[in-house]
Amino acid sequence: MTAVDLFLPCAAGVEAFLADECRRILGARTRLLQGRGGVTVEADERGAMALNLHSRLAQRVLWPLAYGAYRHEQDLYDLARDVRWTDWITPAQTLRVDTTAQRSPLRSLNFATLRIKDAVCDAIREASGERPSVDTRAPDLPLALHLTPTHATLYVDTSGEPLFKRGWRDARAAGRDVTGEAPLKETLAAAMLAAAGWQGRAEDGPLLDPCCGAGTIAIEAAQIACAVAPGLARRFAFERLAPWGDREGEWRSLREAARAAVRAPAVPIFAGDVSFRMTDFAERNAERAGVAHALQLKTADALQRLAPAAQGSLMLNPPYGERIEAKGRGSTRPDALRPGAREGFDAGGTPAAFFAELASHWKRHYAGWTAWVLSPDMKLPTLMRLKESQRVPMWNGPIECRLFRFDMVAGSARRSTD
Ligand SMILES: C[S@@+](CC[C@H](N)C(=O)[O-])C[C@H]1O[C@@H](n2cnc3c(N)ncnc32)[C@H](O)[C@@H]1O
């Protein structure tokens, strides 16, 4: 076993939640350092396997290989030549190098990437007479080079495909959904749930996403409630790498333990969308994620849907595209039944009308609930005529957002301006 400082990148703002998660996975005494954009965790090969299998918040699990100062591309080549590459792959295997940089003085990051690739290939050719080839799609050895203004770190990406890919999303439909909205990344849905402190325990209460789209938030919540490990339905790069070659039994027992831990949910999870196509899509995603039994899906208008329990948490990223179509209160039939209806949302044709109406509806019918709404619109509380009790910074890809918390207290309807 080799203990190293693994680096687990995550979205900005998620670091503290990820640090807690690493301690839950590896034990309370795990040594770790919370940095900007990720967490450094001391762990060995087994720890790397466990983190890949169980982390909901990390983007990847990176294994460090080399670190040093650099000024020119040749310094990067020299740094990479010092690694014993034959410990990692055979010449018959493939590699890919991805480079990220913060204010690097180098003129071409592509050239930096090429120099790392050359160093790996030269080292293996020198040792064996043959060189590995590059595969940009499904490499056996994915390498990640990170450059600061003065230093370079070279990692093996033990995850391969980023960890937000849980393996249940239909690959053909993984892009934009039928409404033109991009589904949330699973890691961001998990971060929303972590920020809300929702862990699927009885005391956390039911959860409802009334604008569920492909179902990402509800499926993530259902997996948490049922203790389904996020990595159970996918493969990882480390499975093809030499240092894990003799750990197949250990990996199998980690996965078996994860399967054995799956339990019935302690709380119900509700989700719905005004579009039948989306609820149908979410249903199929939930089946592939192994949690269809824990999810109650319904095609319904969020502006009309009544609370399914006396209290609980609403959690959603409402539509915020420009393509808006009236579909709010007053429309009695779901869009699939209305001839000519387009996908979209809202009550009066504008986001302002939609959010004002949504807030009025919640004030009337969701007293006792806590609503968590992810939005890039910093003025959302004004649109909703509600005062938030918390706003947590989060990034939806490149879009800066806030997760707003609204406590729907009984009687707040009286303060409504509708
Ligand atoms: C930003 S998407 C949600 C994406 C979702 N979180 C996911 O990961 O796939 C917003 C969703 O709200 C739905 N929607 C729009 N208006 C609605 C309404 N009045 N009631 C319920 N759902 C609505 C859209 O059909 C769309 O699927």
Side-chain angles (χ1 to χ4, degrees):
M1 293 276 180
T2 330
V4 296
D5 284 340
L6 297 175
F7 185 65
L8 279 64
C10 65
V14 176
E15 298 89 346
F17 304 124
L18 176 56
D20 286 346
E21 181 182 71
C22 290
R23 286 200 188 91
R24 272 202 305 278
I25 298 170
L26 297 180
R29 282 194 296 180
T30 301
R31 287 169 50 166
L32 54 78
L33 192 70
Q34 206 177 296
R36 230 178 98 85
V39 175
T40 302
V41 188
E42 191 180 271
D44 56 16
E45 290 86 347
R46 185 186 173 84
M49 292 194 284
L51 289 165
N52 271 304
L53 180 60
H54 291 287
S55 177
R56 296 191 169 278
L57 299 168
Q59 289 161 344
R60 302 172 179 282
V61 178
L62 302 177
W63 184 282
L65 289 176
Y67 172 79
Y70 77 98
R71 286 177 65 186
H72 310 288
E73 286 85 356
Q74 185 61 31
D75 302 327
L76 300 175
Y77 179 92
D78 294 340
L79 190 75
R81 269 309 293 260
D82 282 346
V83 176
R84 284 170 42 152
W85 292 106
T86 47
D87 287 355
W88 287 88
I89 52 167
T90 68
Q93 290 183 294
T94 58
L95 72 142
R96 180 182 75 203
V97 184
D98 287 296
T99 302
T100 51
Q102 282 165 343
R103 291 177 288 117
S104 166
L106 297 183
R107 273 209 302 226
S108 162
L109 294 185
N110 281 343
F111 190 46
T113 302
L114 209 65
R115 293 309 284 152
I116 299 290
K117 188 265 299 171
D118 288 345
V120 184
C121 291
D122 290 351
I124 295 184
R125 188 175 36 207
E126 204 173 275
S128 68
E130 286 173 81
R131 45 172 291 171
S133 48
V134 169
D135 180 347
T136 52
R137 213 183 43 82
D140 296 307
L141 179 67
L143 295 173
L145 172 69
H146 183 66
L147 302 173
T148 68
T150 53
H151 285 74
T153 316
L154 184 59
Y155 300 97
V156 170
D157 175 359
T158 67
S159 307
E161 291 270 36
L163 293 180
F164 78 82
K165 295 191 179 178
R166 312 286 202 222
W168 54 255
R169 211 181 276 280
D170 183 349
R172 286 159 302 156
R176 301 203 158 256
D177 65 27
V178 292
T179 67
E181 305 266 5
L184 280 185
K185 282 200 173 126
E186 290 75 349
T187 37
L188 178 55
M192 292 167 70
L193 292 159
W198 194 92
Q199 293 176 36
R201 300 160 302 187
E203 62 264 37
D204 295 323
L207 188 111
L208 163 63
D209 178 354
C211 297
C212 74
T216 317
I217 297 171
I219 290 172
E220 201 62 29
Q223 284 202 336
I224 292 171
C226 298
V228 174
L232 262 181
R234 57 162 281 168
R235 311 306 302 233
F236 300 94
F238 70 77
E239 295 176 65
R240 299 203 296 263
L241 294 171
W244 283 270
D246 56 356
R247 291 177 193 277
E248 267 172 43
E250 216 178 327
W251 178 223
R252 203 176 316 115
S253 64
L254 272 175
R255 288 167 55 88
E256 273 161 18
R259 263 189 226 105
V262 174
R263 58 177 184 237
V267 284
I269 291 142
F270 303 94
D273 199 285
V274 75
S275 157
F276 168 74
R277 279 198 282 168
M278 291 318 300
T279 41
D280 182 50
F281 189 34
E283 177 85 52
R284 281 180 284 125
N285 280 336
E287 276 162 19
R288 278 190 297 269
V291 290
H293 64 287
L295 211 58
Q296 298 182 40
L297 275 157
K298 176 165 143 182
T299 301
D301 187 337
L303 301 176
Q304 294 184 314
R305 183 173 189 164
L306 297 179
Q311 51 190 356
S313 299
L314 285 149
M315 173 108 19
L316 59 154
N317 74 308
Y320 40 74
E322 292 302 313
R323 299 162 61 253
I324 292 161
E325 170 77 6
K327 210 185 280 173
R329 210 164 59 174
S331 72
T332 51
R333 295 193 295 168
D335 65 284
L337 304 175
R338 288 194 287 126
R342 256 180 42 202
E343 311 297 341
F345 78 103
D346 121 343
T350 66
F354 175 78
F355 285 114
E357 192 153 345
L358 189 62
S360 306
H361 180 67
W362 286 352
K363 286 172 193 168
R364 269 194 226 103
H365 300 290
Y366 283 79
W369 283 66
T370 301
W372 297 87
V373 186
L374 183 76
S375 174
D377 187 346
M378 305 298 156
K379 296 208 171 66
L380 185 76
T382 312
L383 286 183
M384 298 188 81
R385 297 164 204 158
L386 285 171
K387 174 85 189 106
E388 79 277 19
S389 57
Q390 223 178 313
R391 55 164 75 196
V392 186
M394 291 204 165
W395 289 82
N396 186 0
I399 307 167
E400 186 175 358
C401 295
R402 294 290 179 274
L403 179 64
F404 294 98
R405 172 184 171 155
F406 302 109
D407 297 306
M408 308 309 301
V409 291
S412 60
R414 279 200 298 277
R415 292 203 299 275
S416 159
T417 52
D418 62 346

Short mmCIF file of all heavy atoms in Angstrom, two decimals, residues 169 177 179 181-185 209-217 272-275 278 300-303 316-320 327-328 343-346 354, ligand 1:
data_model
loop_
_atom_site.label_atom_id
_atom_site.label_comp_id
_atom_site.label_asym_id
_atom_site.label_seq_id
_atom_site.Cartn_x
_atom_site.Cartn_y
_atom_site.Cartn_z
N ARG A 169 -27.45 7.63 -16.86
CA ARG A 169 -28.09 8.53 -17.82
C ARG A 169 -28.02 7.94 -19.21
O ARG A 169 -26.98 7.40 -19.60
CB ARG A 169 -27.41 9.89 -17.78
CG ARG A 169 -28.34 11.03 -18.10
CD ARG A 169 -27.61 12.34 -18.08
NE ARG A 169 -27.47 12.94 -16.76
CZ ARG A 169 -28.41 13.63 -16.14
NH1 ARG A 169 -29.59 13.79 -16.71
NH2 ARG A 169 -28.20 14.16 -14.96
N ASP A 177 -32.21 18.54 -22.59
CA ASP A 177 -33.43 17.75 -22.50
C ASP A 177 -34.45 18.26 -23.53
O ASP A 177 -34.16 19.16 -24.30
CB ASP A 177 -33.97 17.75 -21.06
CG ASP A 177 -34.42 19.12 -20.61
OD1 ASP A 177 -34.80 19.95 -21.46
OD2 ASP A 177 -34.41 19.37 -19.40
N THR A 179 -36.84 20.11 -23.30
CA THR A 179 -37.24 21.52 -23.16
C THR A 179 -36.12 22.44 -23.59
O THR A 179 -36.27 23.65 -23.57
CB THR A 179 -37.59 21.85 -21.70
OG1 THR A 179 -36.38 21.78 -20.94
CG2 THR A 179 -38.61 20.91 -21.12
N GLU A 181 -33.40 22.63 -21.93
CA GLU A 181 -32.62 22.92 -20.72
C GLU A 181 -31.59 21.81 -20.52
O GLU A 181 -31.90 20.64 -20.67
CB GLU A 181 -33.54 22.92 -19.49
CG GLU A 181 -34.71 23.85 -19.58
CD GLU A 181 -34.42 25.20 -18.97
OE1 GLU A 181 -33.27 25.42 -18.56
OE2 GLU A 181 -35.34 26.01 -18.89
N ALA A 182 -30.38 22.20 -20.13
CA ALA A 182 -29.38 21.18 -19.84
C ALA A 182 -29.70 20.56 -18.48
O ALA A 182 -30.00 21.28 -17.54
CB ALA A 182 -28.00 21.81 -19.81
N PRO A 183 -29.63 19.23 -18.38
CA PRO A 183 -29.84 18.65 -17.05
C PRO A 183 -28.69 19.05 -16.13
O PRO A 183 -27.58 19.31 -16.58
CB PRO A 183 -29.84 17.14 -17.31
CG PRO A 183 -29.32 16.94 -18.67
CD PRO A 183 -29.39 18.23 -19.41
N LEU A 184 -28.99 19.08 -14.85
CA LEU A 184 -27.94 19.38 -13.87
C LEU A 184 -26.94 18.24 -13.85
O LEU A 184 -27.30 17.09 -14.07
CB LEU A 184 -28.54 19.42 -12.46
CG LEU A 184 -29.27 20.65 -11.99
CD1 LEU A 184 -29.64 20.46 -10.54
CD2 LEU A 184 -28.41 21.88 -12.16
N LYS A 185 -25.70 18.58 -13.53
CA LYS A 185 -24.73 17.50 -13.30
C LYS A 185 -25.10 16.84 -11.97
O LYS A 185 -25.51 17.52 -11.02
CB LYS A 185 -23.33 18.07 -13.22
CG LYS A 185 -22.76 18.39 -14.58
CD LYS A 185 -21.26 18.47 -14.52
CE LYS A 185 -20.71 18.61 -15.92
NZ LYS A 185 -19.85 19.75 -16.08
N ASP A 209 -39.11 17.58 -5.91
CA ASP A 209 -38.65 18.45 -7.00
C ASP A 209 -39.81 18.57 -7.98
O ASP A 209 -40.08 17.64 -8.74
CB ASP A 209 -37.42 17.86 -7.69
CG ASP A 209 -36.96 18.74 -8.86
OD1 ASP A 209 -37.67 19.72 -9.19
OD2 ASP A 209 -35.90 18.45 -9.46
N PRO A 210 -40.52 19.71 -7.97
CA PRO A 210 -41.70 19.83 -8.83
C PRO A 210 -41.38 20.20 -10.28
O PRO A 210 -42.28 20.23 -11.12
CB PRO A 210 -42.49 20.97 -8.15
CG PRO A 210 -41.45 21.81 -7.50
CD PRO A 210 -40.29 20.91 -7.14
N CYS A 211 -40.12 20.52 -10.58
CA CYS A 211 -39.69 20.83 -11.96
C CYS A 211 -38.52 19.92 -12.28
O CYS A 211 -37.40 20.36 -12.53
CB CYS A 211 -39.25 22.30 -12.06
SG CYS A 211 -40.55 23.50 -11.74
N CYS A 212 -38.75 18.61 -12.28
CA CYS A 212 -37.64 17.66 -12.16
C CYS A 212 -36.88 17.40 -13.45
O CYS A 212 -35.80 16.81 -13.41
CB CYS A 212 -38.13 16.35 -11.58
SG CYS A 212 -39.10 15.36 -12.74
N GLY A 213 -37.41 17.80 -14.61
CA GLY A 213 -36.69 17.53 -15.85
C GLY A 213 -36.34 16.05 -15.95
O GLY A 213 -37.17 15.16 -15.75
N ALA A 214 -35.04 15.78 -16.18
CA ALA A 214 -34.57 14.39 -16.31
C ALA A 214 -34.51 13.68 -14.96
O ALA A 214 -34.18 12.50 -14.90
CB ALA A 214 -33.20 14.38 -16.97
N GLY A 215 -34.79 14.40 -13.88
CA GLY A 215 -34.90 13.77 -12.57
C GLY A 215 -33.61 13.75 -11.75
O GLY A 215 -33.53 13.05 -10.73
N THR A 216 -32.62 14.54 -12.17
CA THR A 216 -31.30 14.43 -11.52
C THR A 216 -31.34 14.60 -10.00
O THR A 216 -30.77 13.79 -9.27
CB THR A 216 -30.33 15.48 -12.12
OG1 THR A 216 -30.51 15.49 -13.53
CG2 THR A 216 -28.89 15.14 -11.78
N ILE A 217 -32.01 15.66 -9.52
CA ILE A 217 -32.01 15.92 -8.07
C ILE A 217 -32.73 14.78 -7.34
O ILE A 217 -32.22 14.25 -6.34
CB ILE A 217 -32.72 17.27 -7.76
CG1 ILE A 217 -31.94 18.43 -8.39
CG2 ILE A 217 -32.87 17.47 -6.25
CD1 ILE A 217 -32.66 19.78 -8.33
N GLY A 272 -41.77 15.72 -10.20
CA GLY A 272 -42.73 15.87 -11.28
C GLY A 272 -42.28 16.95 -12.23
O GLY A 272 -41.34 17.71 -11.95
N ASP A 273 -42.95 17.00 -13.35
CA ASP A 273 -42.64 18.01 -14.35
C ASP A 273 -43.94 18.25 -15.11
O ASP A 273 -44.80 17.37 -15.20
CB ASP A 273 -41.55 17.49 -15.30
CG ASP A 273 -40.86 18.60 -16.06
OD1 ASP A 273 -41.47 19.14 -17.01
OD2 ASP A 273 -39.70 18.94 -15.70
N VAL A 274 -44.06 19.46 -15.64
CA VAL A 274 -45.27 19.77 -16.40
C VAL A 274 -45.29 18.99 -17.71
O VAL A 274 -46.35 18.77 -18.29
CB VAL A 274 -45.36 21.30 -16.63
CG1 VAL A 274 -44.37 21.74 -17.70
CG2 VAL A 274 -46.77 21.74 -16.97
N SER A 275 -44.11 18.56 -18.13
CA SER A 275 -44.02 17.84 -19.39
C SER A 275 -44.05 16.33 -19.15
O SER A 275 -43.21 15.80 -18.42
CB SER A 275 -42.71 18.24 -20.11
OG SER A 275 -42.33 17.23 -21.01
N MET A 278 -40.86 14.61 -19.96
CA MET A 278 -39.78 14.67 -18.96
C MET A 278 -40.02 13.68 -17.81
O MET A 278 -39.08 13.04 -17.35
CB MET A 278 -39.63 16.09 -18.39
CG MET A 278 -39.09 17.13 -19.36
SD MET A 278 -37.72 16.59 -20.41
CE MET A 278 -36.47 16.17 -19.25
N ALA A 300 -47.24 17.04 -13.59
CA ALA A 300 -48.07 18.05 -12.93
C ALA A 300 -47.44 19.43 -13.08
O ALA A 300 -46.22 19.56 -13.23
CB ALA A 300 -48.20 17.71 -11.44
N ASP A 301 -48.29 20.43 -13.02
CA ASP A 301 -47.85 21.81 -13.08
C ASP A 301 -47.43 22.25 -11.68
O ASP A 301 -48.23 22.16 -10.73
CB ASP A 301 -49.04 22.65 -13.58
CG ASP A 301 -48.65 24.09 -13.85
OD1 ASP A 301 -47.66 24.56 -13.28
OD2 ASP A 301 -49.38 24.74 -14.62
N ALA A 302 -46.20 22.73 -11.55
CA ALA A 302 -45.70 23.15 -10.23
C ALA A 302 -46.57 24.25 -9.63
O ALA A 302 -46.61 24.42 -8.42
CB ALA A 302 -44.26 23.62 -10.35
N LEU A 303 -47.27 24.99 -10.50
CA LEU A 303 -48.09 26.10 -10.02
C LEU A 303 -49.43 25.62 -9.46
O LEU A 303 -50.21 26.41 -8.94
CB LEU A 303 -48.34 27.10 -11.15
CG LEU A 303 -47.08 27.71 -11.76
CD1 LEU A 303 -47.42 28.61 -12.93
CD2 LEU A 303 -46.29 28.49 -10.70
N LEU A 316 -35.16 22.41 -6.20
CA LEU A 316 -35.31 22.48 -7.66
C LEU A 316 -34.37 23.49 -8.30
O LEU A 316 -33.90 24.42 -7.63
CB LEU A 316 -36.75 22.86 -8.03
CG LEU A 316 -37.31 24.18 -7.51
CD1 LEU A 316 -38.42 24.69 -8.43
CD2 LEU A 316 -37.86 24.01 -6.11
N ASN A 317 -34.09 23.25 -9.58
CA ASN A 317 -33.55 24.34 -10.40
C ASN A 317 -34.62 24.61 -11.44
O ASN A 317 -34.82 23.84 -12.37
CB ASN A 317 -32.16 24.02 -10.99
CG ASN A 317 -32.16 23.05 -12.12
OD1 ASN A 317 -32.72 21.99 -11.99
ND2 ASN A 317 -31.53 23.39 -13.21
N PRO A 318 -35.36 25.68 -11.23
CA PRO A 318 -36.48 25.97 -12.11
C PRO A 318 -35.98 26.38 -13.49
O PRO A 318 -34.79 26.66 -13.65
CB PRO A 318 -37.18 27.14 -11.40
CG PRO A 318 -36.14 27.76 -10.56
CD PRO A 318 -35.16 26.70 -10.20
N PRO A 319 -36.86 26.40 -14.46
CA PRO A 319 -36.42 26.82 -15.79
C PRO A 319 -35.96 28.27 -15.76
O PRO A 319 -36.57 29.09 -15.11
CB PRO A 319 -37.68 26.67 -16.64
CG PRO A 319 -38.81 26.62 -15.68
CD PRO A 319 -38.29 26.11 -14.40
N TYR A 320 -34.81 28.55 -16.39
CA TYR A 320 -34.43 29.95 -16.50
C TYR A 320 -33.97 30.33 -17.88
O TYR A 320 -33.25 31.27 -18.08
CB TYR A 320 -33.41 30.38 -15.44
CG TYR A 320 -32.30 29.41 -15.11
CD1 TYR A 320 -31.23 29.20 -15.98
CD2 TYR A 320 -32.32 28.75 -13.90
CE1 TYR A 320 -30.22 28.32 -15.64
CE2 TYR A 320 -31.31 27.87 -13.55
CZ TYR A 320 -30.27 27.66 -14.43
OH TYR A 320 -29.26 26.79 -14.09
N LYS A 327 -47.83 28.18 -19.39
CA LYS A 327 -48.23 26.82 -19.09
C LYS A 327 -48.57 26.70 -17.61
O LYS A 327 -48.41 25.68 -16.99
CB LYS A 327 -47.09 25.86 -19.44
CG LYS A 327 -47.59 24.50 -19.84
CD LYS A 327 -46.44 23.60 -20.06
CE LYS A 327 -45.82 23.85 -21.43
NZ LYS A 327 -44.59 23.09 -21.58
N GLY A 328 -48.96 27.81 -17.04
CA GLY A 328 -49.12 27.82 -15.60
C GLY A 328 -50.53 27.57 -15.17
O GLY A 328 -51.27 26.83 -15.81
N GLU A 343 -42.65 23.06 -25.15
CA GLU A 343 -42.08 22.86 -23.82
C GLU A 343 -41.69 24.23 -23.28
O GLU A 343 -41.30 25.11 -23.99
CB GLU A 343 -40.81 22.00 -23.91
CG GLU A 343 -40.96 20.74 -24.72
CD GLU A 343 -41.97 19.79 -24.13
OE1 GLU A 343 -42.30 19.91 -22.94
OE2 GLU A 343 -42.45 18.93 -24.88
N GLY A 344 -41.77 24.36 -21.97
CA GLY A 344 -41.35 25.63 -21.38
C GLY A 344 -41.98 25.77 -20.04
O GLY A 344 -42.33 24.80 -19.41
N PHE A 345 -42.15 26.99 -19.55
CA PHE A 345 -42.77 27.13 -18.25
C PHE A 345 -43.49 28.44 -18.20
O PHE A 345 -43.43 29.21 -19.13
CB PHE A 345 -41.69 27.06 -17.16
CG PHE A 345 -40.89 28.30 -16.96
CD1 PHE A 345 -41.15 29.12 -15.89
CD2 PHE A 345 -39.88 28.65 -17.85
CE1 PHE A 345 -40.40 30.25 -15.67
CE2 PHE A 345 -39.13 29.78 -17.64
CZ PHE A 345 -39.38 30.58 -16.56
N ASP A 346 -44.19 28.69 -17.22
CA ASP A 346 -44.60 29.94 -16.66
C ASP A 346 -46.07 30.28 -16.78
O ASP A 346 -46.83 29.64 -17.48
CB ASP A 346 -43.64 31.02 -17.16
CG ASP A 346 -44.26 32.13 -17.92
OD1 ASP A 346 -45.37 31.98 -18.36
OD2 ASP A 346 -43.60 33.15 -18.04
N PHE A 354 -43.97 33.86 -13.56
CA PHE A 354 -43.88 32.46 -13.11
C PHE A 354 -43.45 32.40 -11.64
O PHE A 354 -44.08 31.72 -10.82
CB PHE A 354 -42.88 31.69 -13.98
CG PHE A 354 -42.64 30.28 -13.51
CD1 PHE A 354 -43.57 29.28 -13.77
CD2 PHE A 354 -41.50 29.95 -12.81
CE1 PHE A 354 -43.36 27.97 -13.33
CE2 PHE A 354 -41.27 28.64 -12.37
CZ PHE A 354 -42.21 27.66 -12.64
C1 LIG B 1 -33.98 23.58 -15.65
S1 LIG B 1 -35.03 22.25 -16.00
C2 LIG B 1 -34.74 21.16 -14.67
C3 LIG B 1 -33.62 20.26 -14.98
C4 LIG B 1 -33.50 19.14 -13.98
N1 LIG B 1 -33.05 19.60 -12.67
C5 LIG B 1 -32.56 18.08 -14.52
O1 LIG B 1 -31.50 17.89 -13.96
O2 LIG B 1 -32.86 17.51 -15.56
C6 LIG B 1 -36.61 22.90 -15.64
C7 LIG B 1 -37.77 21.94 -15.86
O3 LIG B 1 -38.96 22.61 -15.41
C8 LIG B 1 -40.03 22.12 -16.17
N2 LIG B 1 -41.16 23.06 -16.03
C9 LIG B 1 -41.36 24.24 -16.66
N3 LIG B 1 -42.50 24.82 -16.26
C10 LIG B 1 -43.04 23.99 -15.32
C11 LIG B 1 -44.22 24.04 -14.52
N4 LIG B 1 -45.08 25.05 -14.62
N5 LIG B 1 -44.44 23.01 -13.69
C12 LIG B 1 -43.59 21.96 -13.59
N6 LIG B 1 -42.46 21.87 -14.34
C13 LIG B 1 -42.18 22.87 -15.18
C14 LIG B 1 -39.48 22.00 -17.57
O4 LIG B 1 -40.25 21.10 -18.34
C15 LIG B 1 -38.05 21.53 -17.29
O5 LIG B 1 -37.97 20.13 -17.41
#
